[in-house]
Amino acid sequence: MKLQTFFSTILLFFTTIFLLLSLPHSVSANQSNHTGFLQCLSLRLNDSNIVSKVIYTPNDSSFSSVLSLTIQNPRFSSPGTPKPVLILTPVQPSHVQSAVKCARRFGIHIRTRSGGHDYEGLSYATHKPFVILDLTNLRSITIDVDNRSVWVQTGATIGELYYELGKMNKTLAFPAGVCPTVGVGGHFSGGGYGTLLRKHGLAADHVIDARVVDARGRVLERREMGEEFFWAIRGGGGSSFCVVLSWKIGLVDVPSTVTVFNVTEFEEQSALKIIHRWQFVSDRVSDDLFVRVMLQRYKNMVRASFPGLYLGSVKSLLELVNREFPELGLEEKDCKEMSWIESVVWFAELGDVPIDVLGKRTRASLAFKAKSDFVQEPIPETAISNMWRRLQEPEAEHAQLIFTPFGGRMSEIGEYETPFPHREGNMYEIQYLNYWRGGGGEEKEKYMRWVERVYDEMSEFVARSPRGAYINLRDLDLGIYVGGKRSKYEEGKSWGVKYFKNNFERLVRVKTSVDPFDFFCDEQSIPPFSSVEVM
């Protein structure tokens, strides 16, 4: 046994030496810190086999593939995008603890990545030397049907969560997003919404416990972290406060049969009339009904689509729509009955395939830029018509404008109950999106400017004082930390109130309490009151 331990120690030593030699020389000013961090991490992991499987440096042949595996916006995969000095892919929670403790000891900047869907790439790119803590391997899902709850690790995707639920039970669901490759880590911590938001609210509204690693490297659950800390990570962006290891979520009931439908319209005036009426109906109708508006190009024409979900049969849906929203022109041929889990596949536009497609991880092929708004009173038809014309422009070939209705349960939950404040009084949210091929470079500028133009033209028709935004649709145009004479708190407030309104101040107080030295930070993270340094 002693001889085995001796050889294991020798192997660990040489593995560490190899990794140290693999560190990039371009970060020589920080070389001693990175060397110390890697030595600390290797000693804490204390197993050469584990070290070689979870630590990747730029000289490793698999470094690029591990880095790109969950980059979901190719805008940040260009050669000019800053790369990490090291990637750690933990396979157990203690590895995360070790990473946090060693990083704090040696002043190493960490970015935490779950599904890689941060709209501005902040989970895997920044302009300072950094390490990626990639949680892809922490993806276990434990379902307790009797107690209607699930423990899901933060590296799992919402598609994997949906699939495991669908295999086990057809009448239990969870109200999260429509894109199955989104990681639960960032999605839940920013709020998270999908087709069930009018009936059940946000994903964050159904988080009942969490397991995190705090800035001191401690593993905490709700009881140990306290209610303020727990409040902050359910909509305030968990990466500002800790590394979330796993969430405990409560499930909701759905009927055994739901109905999906879609109505499309290519003629502008007909579409405008439907959208106009939609604005007066979509947030007030029965919360069993969810109808989105999507404007985009199709075969060089602008198309308005009205995809929806109804928690019930086709017959009762048609009765409801004919009574409350006849302008939609919904007919039986536009509808299809199915189970809720099958509706998840349908909304994700994955085709007529088995539900196991939800568990497959794919990478996005188009780069994109997005912005968001909240609408509190009906927008005039002239403004919608202007959007229609913008979509006819050459650089809008792959653009989308998505209107998501609120109301229902969203209006019943107070804006202070979680950090997500955009509740009662908000009729719907607009997401402005533009996609293009080719990632970064000068070519991207015209597509990004298109988004900016449409966003600017909508300023008088959307929520003001502040003009709201959704943290899960992150937008660095709202501002980033640049340092200078202003404190980090003063800088952060300029965009923090747009994401969180009056909840920003409470989030700052929590940050000051749990991470006063700002260990967990990024270009738009919540600042502590005492922080005045440049990020």
Side-chain angles (χ1 to χ4, degrees):
M1 182 64 70
K2 289 183 179 179
L3 188 62
Q4 183 179 3
T5 302
F6 171 76
F7 282 115
S8 296
T9 303
I10 292 296
L11 184 57
L12 177 62
F13 171 78
F14 282 109
T15 301
T16 303
I17 293 299
F18 174 77
L19 288 169
L20 290 172
L21 293 173
S22 299
L23 287 174
H25 299 292
S26 59
V27 292
S28 56
N30 300 284
Q31 193 70 43
S32 61
N33 283 354
H34 292 121
T35 299
F37 169 73
L38 186 51
Q39 289 176 329
C40 174
L41 190 58
S42 298
L43 289 172
R44 281 187 173 273
L45 297 180
N46 197 30
D47 185 327
S48 60
N49 289 325
I50 291 294
V51 168
S52 63
K53 291 178 180 178
V54 302
I55 295 177
Y56 300 86
T57 65
N59 285 342
D60 292 323
S61 59
S62 54
F63 178 83
S64 294
S65 62
V66 172
L67 175 61
S68 62
L69 184 63
T70 55
I71 291 180
Q72 296 292 354
N73 189 347
R75 179 156 61 105
F76 304 105
S77 62
S78 66
T81 301
K83 305 298 189 290
V85 297
L86 184 149
I87 302 172
L88 176 65
T89 58
V91 295
Q92 57 191 49
S94 63
H95 298 166
V96 178
Q97 287 183 275
S98 296
V100 169
K101 289 178 180 179
C102 292
R104 184 167 180 177
R105 177 181 174 185
F106 289 97
I108 299 299
H109 184 63
I110 281 183
R111 290 296 167 97
T112 303
R113 181 167 72 173
S114 172
H117 276 269
D118 187 291
Y119 271 33
E120 297 283 10
L122 298 192
S123 61
Y124 52 84
T126 185
H127 290 281
K128 61 191 292 188
F130 69 106
V131 168
I132 290 179
L133 188 59
D134 189 309
L135 303 177
T136 303
N137 292 327
L138 298 178
R139 58 205 288 185
S140 72
I141 299 170
T142 305
I143 301 173
D144 184 343
V145 172
D146 292 338
N147 290 312
R148 299 158 54 85
S149 66
V150 180
W151 271 106
V152 53
Q153 285 189 309
T154 195
T157 65
I158 59 174
E160 290 168 340
L161 172 62
Y162 290 151
Y163 174 52
E164 294 301 321
L165 280 175
K167 283 195 304 181
M168 190 168 292
N169 190 293
K170 293 295 190 292
T171 59
L172 286 177
F174 188 71
V178 299
C179 178
T181 59
V182 170
V184 302
H187 189 62
F188 294 2
S189 68
Y193 69 73
T195 60
L196 294 177
L197 90 163
R198 300 196 63 249
K199 185 70 174 183
H200 296 289
L202 305 176
D205 298 331
H206 297 270
V207 171
I208 53 182
D209 204 342
R211 191 172 292 124
V212 309
V213 174
D214 73 353
R216 293 165 60 183
R218 301 176 298 173
V219 174
L220 307 174
E221 294 188 8
R222 179 175 183 172
R223 181 181 299 178
E224 294 85 21
M225 74 177 80
E227 289 303 301
E228 286 297 285
F229 195 163
F230 182 63
W231 173 84
I233 63 174
R234 293 177 297 131
S239 61
S240 287
F241 306 95
C242 59
V243 178
V244 179
L245 296 173
S246 54
W247 303 97
K248 185 179 182 181
I249 56 175
L251 303 177
V252 301
D253 291 314
V254 289
S256 58
T257 298
V258 305
T259 302
V260 298
F261 60 89
N262 190 26
V263 174
T264 59
E265 181 58 68
F266 288 91
E267 202 280 313
E268 179 181 352
Q269 291 306 313
S270 298
L272 293 182
K273 289 179 181 179
I274 298 174
I275 296 171
H276 178 74
R277 180 59 182 163
W278 176 90
Q279 294 187 91
F280 291 89
V281 174
S282 61
D283 67 318
R284 304 175 189 180
V285 73
S286 165
D287 57 17
D288 287 331
L289 179 62
F290 171 89
V291 188
R292 253 183 175 173
V293 176
M294 299 184 70
L295 300 176
Q296 62 194 112
R297 288 258 283 278
Y298 179 77
K299 294 183 177 179
N300 212 34
M301 300 174 64
V302 178
R303 179 183 69 184
S305 301
F306 302 87
L309 172 71
Y310 178 68
L311 300 177
S313 67
V314 170
K315 180 181 178 182
S316 57
L317 166 64
L318 291 173
E319 291 174 354
L320 174 65
V321 171
N322 288 335
R323 182 176 66 250
E324 303 287 344
F325 190 14
E327 294 84 355
L328 183 60
L330 184 66
E331 300 179 16
E332 188 171 353
K333 65 179 178 62
D334 304 316
C335 308
K336 186 175 182 179
E337 291 185 345
M338 58 183 62
S339 66
W340 172 79
I341 190 63
E342 290 170 331
S343 80
V344 174
V345 176
W346 186 89
F347 255 95
E349 299 181 0
L350 297 175
D352 187 13
V353 294
I355 66 169
D356 62 1
V357 70
L358 296 171
K360 297 180 180 179
R361 295 190 174 217
T362 58
R363 284 188 58 202
S365 59
L366 297 178
F368 67 90
K369 171 64 182 178
K371 289 178 174 294
S372 60
D373 264 322
F374 293 93
V375 177
Q376 298 176 336
E377 55 187 39
I379 293 173
E381 287 190 25
T382 53
I384 307 295
S385 181
N386 185 62
M387 290 183 178
W388 192 280
R389 287 194 298 274
R390 285 293 187 195
L391 285 164
Q392 295 170 334
E393 296 174 343
E395 56 269 41
E397 181 182 0
H398 300 292
Q400 283 186 330
L401 300 173
I402 304 173
F403 300 4
T404 299
F406 280 23
R409 182 63 179 148
M410 288 294 289
S411 295
E412 296 169 358
I413 299 173
E415 64 179 51
Y416 300 103
E417 292 189 38
T418 71
F420 182 95
H422 311 287
R423 305 280 188 168
E424 186 177 13
N426 291 284
M427 299 165 55
Y428 59 96
E429 181 219 55
I430 301 177
Q431 184 175 179
Y432 313 89
L433 278 160
N434 202 1
Y435 298 87
W436 63 91
R437 299 187 186 280
E442 295 182 4
E443 183 72 8
K444 71 178 182 181
E445 296 301 326
K446 66 179 182 180
Y447 300 107
M448 295 176 67
R449 283 196 297 270
W450 184 90
V451 177
E452 293 167 6
R453 285 197 302 272
V454 178
Y455 178 79
D456 289 344
E457 290 168 353
M458 291 298 294
S459 60
E460 64 180 291
F461 308 114
V462 297
R464 297 183 290 274
S465 301
R467 184 175 185 176
Y470 177 31
I471 187 64
N472 276 3
L473 309 181
R474 191 189 298 278
D475 180 10
L476 292 188
D477 294 343
L478 301 179
I480 61 172
Y481 293 112
V482 296
K485 295 182 179 180
R486 292 198 302 166
S487 70
K488 196 168 184 181
Y489 164 77
E490 291 173 321
E491 283 191 286
K493 186 174 182 178
S494 64
W495 61 82
V497 296
K498 296 176 182 178
Y499 289 135
F500 306 112
K501 297 173 68 174
N502 292 333
N503 291 334
F504 174 74
E505 298 293 340
R506 185 176 173 186
L507 287 168
V508 170
R509 291 194 294 271
V510 176
K511 173 73 170 182
T512 305
S513 173
V514 305
D515 186 19
F517 298 105
D518 206 20
F519 175 76
F520 295 109
C521 62
D522 60 43
E523 286 78 357
Q524 283 192 342
S525 56
I526 301 295
F529 277 122
S530 59
S531 180
V532 295
E533 74 280 7
V534 178
M535 190 194 68

